Each structure stands twice: as structure tokens, then as C-alpha cells.
Amino acid sequence: MGRPSIVLLGHTGVGKSASGNTILGRTAFESRRTFKSVTTKIKKETDTLFGTEISVIDTPGILSKGIKEEIQTLCEENLNPSSCLFLVVVKIDRFTVEQLEAVETAIKVIEPYGLGKAYLLFTGADRLDRTLEEFINEEEDSPLQKIVQKFEGRYFCFDNNNGGQDQAEELLQKTGILSAAEKPPPEQRKIVLYGLCGAGKTSSGNTILGSKKFKPDCGFECSTKTCDSRSAIVGSQKITVMDTPGVDDSSRSPEEVAGDILKAFHEEQVHALVIVVKISKLSTKDHSFLEYFPSMFGPDALGSTMVLFTHGDGLGGERFEEKIKASREVSELIKRCSERYCVFDNTQSRDRQQVRRFLQIVDEMVQQNGVQPCDRLIPTPFPQQDDASRPKSFPQGSQSRNGEGPSGYGSTDSLSSGRESSDESISNSCCLCQCLRCLFCGYCQSGQNGYEPLN
């Protein structure tokens, strides 16, 4: 059996090129809305999909002059009948006379190989306000219904905007191009996205997975309130992304947020901790977070940590390396993560090149460190900026006793067993303790001189 081939056939503008891109998991064929056909020549792309090398062939509108004959010649000279799949693409819309003519012409091309090797592929699932079956059977004895009957129920549906590559894998298994016996189990990667509210964690999770698995929210409050894990097949790997609440979510206590993350970590092993940072002018909260994170999970976690910068569309062609040099906190954070960082433009979620770069860094971390031992991770609460009972920002130059970050907030050290706080144990030189006394003295480790003294 030769290499499997998939041939996309149909009328102009029904979504053949977009469907080819969905199957391949990358933008291989030009696809855009226009009044005339974008695809003017037959084009073939080959890739390893779900462990199997597959060729995908995009074709111009089959009713265009001479195209039917070109496709027939291609099939005769290049296709192995035993490993070929024809996808006749139909747009979910009003089934016009032209669409019907295109489908009937495609059937004539396929018939020498047997119609059993063909599937109807409906596109535009995101615009469907009912089930596909209800759409097909809306009108009794309609031309579309007759076409479906001719294909003996061999049909499938794609959402080429938000559906992702999972639907392509399901189609290839359903059509027999992929079989469970020949498909190796996918390598797994589990990734945790962590950062402030509005940094772009949810959108980045959708970009990585190639579809809108997480529901983004453009409101004024943090959209993610609990840890949420979603998975997808990306290339030959099963990628699981955990979206986490913003560590500065003012609607919940920092201890509650940290507890949720710790619980989720204990339930799942992690290959990569990803600090998500929005490319913009750093606020006081950003400065605090960049100082706070490196020691949050302890020194062992930094070996499996990288930085993901979002809103790359705002760079406007500027070199990102120059922006890194301009920020001491960002430069220090990247240095602590062994220069592992990536930039995402989440407005271009179909740009899979940025995802491949990201996953390559993850793979390199896995080769060096394996799976992160989550039972040793101890998330430390992030101080809320708008809570009057907590400091608004870290004083410049503040360091904990281990040098990892501001005292208390970034430390994973706990108080010695049986040690109690008292007025006597609180340092008179610590401005935090002078302000809050016993209430929050644990954050500065009961008297360690982590904060500047009051004048």
C-alpha cells in the first residue's frame, strides 16, 4: 500500500483550501474570501499526520475551464487507487444549481475508482444553527438529500475557523486512511499557563491547541476562575494545556488561587511551566509579578519553565530582543529560565510556525528534565495589588534570604515547626510588619530583613 493521498474536489469558494489546511494543521494552501477563485492550479502538500505520511491535493473549482480534465490526468498518473480518498466539498449554505453541478462533475471524476472511496465534506459548521442531519433533511427529496443518498451516508463536517486538527484525525480514522493498529500512541505533553489577568493565557491556550477549546472573555474581570485542562492532537503529539486563574484575580483571595493551582498540579504531571507575559509597558503589578514568579515553585521548577510573550502583533516590526534589553526585570526573568522564551501573535492563531517553535522549546526541556515532579511544587500566593491589607508593590532591591526574590512572597520556605509569631519576633526594621504587625508577618518570614526600614 502506497502513501495515502487525499484529493479535495468541489465548486469555487466552498472551502477546499481551508479544509486542506485543517487536515495538515498548517497554512499550506492560500485561503481567503474573494469574488474569484484563489486556487488556480492543482497543488500537493505532503506531511506526517498522526504518525502517517499523507499527501493532500488541493484543486481549483472543478467547473473552471479545463480543470476536470487536469484532475483526471492527475488521478490517472499519480494516484494509487488502493490508498486514495476523494473529499467532495460542499459549503453549508443554500445548495445552489452551481454546487449541484460541481458535485455531479466530481462524481464523474471519482467513478472510475469507485464512489466508495469518496466522502462528502461539509464546510461552515460554525454557521450551522442545527444538526447537520437536520440541514440535509430540511427539504424532502431535495437535490442535496439525493446526493447524500448517493454517497450512502459517507459524509463529514468541518469547522475550518475554530475546529482544529482533532476533526481531521476523526475524519481520517472514519475513512480508513488512519487505522488504530498502524497509528502509534501519541507522545504526550502537559503544559501549564500561568500569569496575571489579561496576559493572554486563554488565547494562547487556544493558539497552541489549534482551536477554541477555552472560552475567552473580553470583559473587565478575569475570565478564568478555576484551573481548566483541554487537549488536542498537535502534529504527532497529544498536547494538554492547563489554563489557570490570573494570580492577581481580585475577586478571589490569593491563597484560594494558589490552592486551586496546587491541587491541579497534584492531579497532573507537567512537562512545562509557562509564564505568560503581555508585551506592553510594564505596570507596578507586572514588575511585582516578574520578581515574584521565579521562586514561587522553588529552584527545581525553573529547569522546566519558559516565558511566553503575547500580543506580538503590537511589535510593528521592531526587534523583540531590543525590548528585552530595555527591561531589567524581563531580562532577569529570561535569564533565570535559561533564555527559553517565545512570542505569540494570537490574532494569527492559524500561524502554526509560532506553535512549532514553542513546542520545540518544550521538547528540549523534556529532553533535559523529563516530567516536572509536581508533588514538590508549592505555589505561593501572589499579593493582591488592590487589597489595602497587602503591600502595593515590592520595594526596589528587595531580596529574600535565599536571594530568589522579594522576601516571603517568592519563598517556598515555611516557618519552622512549632515556631509561633509574636510581637517580639517581628522585626522593628520591617516596614511591612510595622504596618500590619502580627496579621501578615508570615509573609516576611517573621523578622527577616526583606523590606526597607521605615525612616
Side-chain angles (χ1 to χ4, degrees):
M1 182 175 175
R3 175 197 301 153
S5 298
I6 299 171
V7 184
L8 296 155
L9 304 173
H11 192 38
T12 298
V14 293
K16 298 185 300 297
S17 299
S19 298
N21 292 336
T22 295
I23 293 169
L24 291 166
R26 60 186 175 90
T27 306
F29 307 114
E30 185 178 4
S31 174
R32 54 189 170 86
R33 292 183 179 179
T34 180
F35 289 107
K36 61 181 181 179
S37 177
V38 174
T39 304
T40 57
K41 294 182 179 180
I42 296 173
K43 184 179 179 182
K44 180 170 76 171
E45 290 284 335
T46 301
D47 223 331
T48 299
L49 306 176
F50 318 108
T52 300
E53 191 175 46
I54 298 173
S55 293
V56 178
I57 300 169
D58 188 22
T59 64
I62 200 166
L63 298 182
S64 301
K65 186 177 180 180
I67 293 302
K68 174 188 171 185
E69 291 72 25
E70 282 187 38
I71 295 171
Q72 286 174 323
T73 301
L74 167 80
C75 294
E76 291 169 2
E77 295 179 354
N78 298 286
L79 296 185
N80 184 339
S82 65
S83 58
C84 180
L85 170 67
F86 294 94
L87 295 178
V88 181
V89 183
V90 176
K91 185 179 180 181
I92 291 176
D93 204 343
R94 190 168 59 87
F95 192 63
T96 63
V97 173
E98 290 80 10
Q99 280 218 58
L100 175 60
E101 185 182 353
V103 171
E104 290 176 339
T105 304
I107 289 173
K108 291 177 183 177
V109 171
I110 298 166
E111 278 178 335
Y113 305 92
L115 201 56
K117 293 186 176 297
Y119 266 68
L120 283 173
L121 178 62
F122 290 93
T123 61
D126 50 315
R127 296 191 297 273
L128 197 61
D129 56 0
R130 52 197 182 278
T131 68
L132 181 58
E133 286 71 23
E134 287 172 338
F135 170 76
I136 292 170
N137 299 308
E138 184 176 25
E139 186 180 337
E140 187 73 25
D141 223 23
S142 67
L144 177 59
Q145 198 176 66
K146 291 178 181 178
I147 289 293
V148 172
Q149 289 170 357
K150 185 172 284 192
F151 277 79
E152 298 179 339
R154 294 185 304 277
Y155 60 84
F156 202 80
C157 189
F158 266 11
D159 174 357
N160 287 320
N161 290 320
N162 308 312
Q165 210 177 10
D166 284 359
Q167 56 191 341
E169 182 184 23
E170 185 180 347
L171 170 66
L172 297 181
Q173 288 178 336
K174 186 175 182 179
T175 58
I177 291 290
L178 293 180
S179 68
E182 66 186 21
K183 180 189 170 188
E187 195 175 21
Q188 298 200 25
R189 294 286 182 264
K190 294 184 179 179
I191 297 164
V192 173
L193 303 178
Y194 189 85
L196 298 174
C197 291
K201 301 185 298 299
T202 300
S203 296
S204 296
N206 288 334
T207 295
I208 294 167
L209 296 175
S211 60
K212 292 185 178 179
K213 299 282 188 179
F214 301 106
K215 185 179 179 181
D217 188 353
C218 59
F220 293 102
E221 298 294 328
C222 289
S223 59
T224 304
K225 296 297 183 183
T226 59
C227 294
D228 187 13
S229 292
R230 300 297 171 96
S231 300
I233 299 296
V234 181
S236 60
Q237 295 178 320
K238 180 180 179 181
I239 305 296
T240 298
V241 175
M242 182 191 293
D243 189 17
T244 63
V247 294
D248 59 327
D249 184 356
S250 59
S251 67
R252 306 175 67 211
S253 73
E255 291 81 9
E256 193 177 0
V257 173
D260 280 355
I261 295 172
L262 179 59
K263 180 182 177 182
F265 276 11
H266 278 298
E267 292 173 352
E268 297 191 44
Q269 290 188 311
V270 175
H271 291 94
L273 292 169
V274 181
I275 312 169
V276 182
V277 179
K278 179 180 177 180
I279 299 175
S280 63
K281 184 177 179 180
L282 297 180
S283 65
T284 302
K285 190 182 293 184
D286 291 317
H287 286 289
S288 299
F289 176 68
L290 294 179
E291 289 193 26
Y292 156 82
F293 183 88
S295 55
M296 171 181 174
F297 297 108
D300 291 340
L302 287 174
S304 296
T305 301
M306 64 176 287
V307 187
L308 176 60
F309 295 97
T310 61
H311 295 74
D313 51 310
L315 288 174
E318 293 183 57
R319 281 175 51 84
F320 185 61
E321 289 73 15
E322 298 300 319
K323 292 189 174 291
I324 293 174
K325 292 178 183 177
S327 171
R328 179 185 64 81
E329 289 91 346
V330 172
S331 297
E332 179 62 26
L333 181 63
I334 292 176
K335 182 179 178 182
R336 285 174 177 268
C337 296
S338 301
E339 308 297 327
R340 292 184 296 265
Y341 70 90
C342 194
V343 179
F344 268 12
D345 175 0
N346 287 318
T347 66
Q348 301 294 325
S349 59
R350 293 195 71 87
D351 176 11
R352 305 310 290 167
Q353 186 61 36
Q354 59 184 347
V355 176
R356 280 193 285 272
R357 285 195 298 268
F358 172 84
L359 293 177
Q360 183 179 358
I361 296 173
V362 173
D363 287 342
E364 290 170 356
M365 287 195 294
V366 171
Q367 289 174 6
Q368 294 174 6
N369 307 294
V371 181
Q372 178 66 35
C374 300
D375 57 336
R376 295 189 306 184
L377 300 181
I378 310 174
T380 305
F382 180 72
Q384 290 178 350
Q385 302 294 311
D386 56 350
D387 189 336
S389 66
R390 288 177 171 84
K392 297 295 181 185
S393 62
F394 296 124
Q396 288 292 323
S398 298
Q399 297 291 320
S400 67
R401 7 173 218 191
N402 56 14
E404 292 288 6
S407 177
Y409 296 109
S411 173
T412 56
D413 292 341
S414 59
L415 291 174
S416 301
S417 177
R419 183 176 175 183
E420 297 181 359
S421 294
S422 67
D423 287 352
E424 289 75 26
S425 67
I426 300 172
S427 170
N428 289 326
S429 64
C430 175
C431 64
L432 176 65
C433 286
Q434 285 194 40
C435 292
L436 305 177
R437 303 298 290 171
C438 300
L439 185 58
F440 287 105
C441 64
Y443 280 115
C444 68
Q445 296 174 348
S446 292
Q448 302 302 321
N449 296 328
Y451 288 83
E452 299 292 332
L454 287 174
N455 293 325

